[in-house]
Amino acid sequence: MVINEKALVTQMKNAYNSYGYTVAAQDDRMYLTNGFWLAEIDVDNVPDKILGMFGEHIRDVPKSGDAYKVTKGKDGAIVQKRILEEAMGTVKKMYERRDVAFEDAVPVVMQKTNLTYDGCRVWQAECTRDIFLIDPRYAAMIDKTKEVHKVGEGIYAEDDDSKLWILRVAKESDKTYLEHMEKISWVKE
């Protein structure tokens, strides 16, 4: 699985304690998102720790066609049943971005560098030198970093069992500095 199970559970807990996360099941896939990341996992391969989080937060495992928004309330979990189409909107947007990024071109491979800037991990495209700043908490969710691709303003990784999108988190004030950083290759080309 391309997703680091422990890091995903940590992000589910963080999202639960702040603005919440959405979980949806459609056909043989499970989708989890908080707006900064989107994880897609084959239902037969959902790790036990994540199933445990569903038990703790939802008191059930979502079945195909189910969608929930989960947040923490003062008396425990607040679970709002959502319309599947609405919940899958983020998934649809991410697939559209991936299709555009991969259209008629070899996907741009991103690599994690040893650099950090403004509290973020610096990722760079092998061939174009584009720089993305990724929150290290989200970058930790990627277990295998060899086939990470640039997709729109974020990065994307996949294998047979799972897919993970992480949105770019660079701030506007970083743009000039990043342009200078892009002049140097921080990864082996």
Side-chain angles (χ1 to χ4, degrees):
M1 192 157 81
V2 78
I3 300 169
N4 180 305
E5 171 186 345
K6 184 177 178 183
L8 178 56
V9 168
T10 298
Q11 288 309 310
M12 288 172 69
K13 287 178 185 177
N14 291 343
Y16 172 75
N17 288 319
S18 54
Y19 39 82
Y21 67 89
T22 298
V23 58
Q26 186 175 38
D27 301 324
D28 61 346
R29 307 301 278 180
M30 182 87 55
Y31 302 90
L32 295 137
T33 185
N34 76 343
F36 295 102
W37 49 264
L38 169 71
E40 177 183 335
I41 307 170
D42 183 81
V43 293
D44 294 332
N45 296 309
V46 176
D48 291 340
K49 289 181 182 177
I50 294 171
L51 293 174
M53 294 299 294
F54 295 150
E56 185 179 327
H57 295 162
I58 303 172
R59 305 221 187 279
D60 194 10
V61 175
K63 295 161 195 62
S64 185
D66 289 345
Y68 301 99
K69 170 79 175 191
V70 186
T71 53
K72 183 178 180 179
K74 71 176 186 178
D75 296 325
I78 299 171
V79 181
Q80 299 172 317
K81 185 96 169 155
R82 298 187 68 194
I83 299 168
L84 184 64
E85 290 285 319
E86 176 187 315
M88 295 295 288
T90 302
V91 176
K92 184 179 177 187
K93 284 181 199 170
M94 293 300 163
Y95 270 98
E96 287 170 357
R97 287 181 187 172
R98 188 188 71 163
D99 291 346
V100 167
F102 291 9
E103 190 175 271
D104 299 326
V106 175
V108 176
V109 176
M110 300 294 290
Q111 287 189 1
K112 180 171 57 174
T113 70
N114 291 328
L115 301 172
T116 58
Y117 177 70
D118 199 19
C120 292
R121 174 67 76 174
V122 177
W123 286 64
Q124 187 174 38
E126 286 180 343
C127 53
T128 64
R129 294 190 181 167
D130 290 346
I131 296 270
F132 280 0
L133 300 180
I134 306 294
D135 187 313
R137 297 170 298 175
Y138 303 147
M141 294 170 64
I142 301 174
D143 201 32
K144 300 171 188 168
T145 60
K146 288 188 178 182
E147 287 294 319
V148 177
H149 299 108
K150 174 182 172 184
V151 175
E153 295 296 303
I155 59 177
Y156 167 79
E158 76 171 313
D159 62 13
D160 291 339
D161 300 327
S162 62
K163 295 176 176 62
L164 180 68
W165 284 265
I166 298 174
L167 303 181
R168 183 175 169 186
V169 292
K171 301 176 186 111
E172 286 298 319
S173 59
D174 297 325
K175 298 251 186 228
T176 303
Y177 189 76
L178 293 180
E179 287 171 6
H180 292 294
M181 289 181 73
E182 288 174 351
K183 293 176 183 173
I184 301 167
S185 178
W186 302 99
V187 298
K188 292 179 184 179
E189 295 187 30

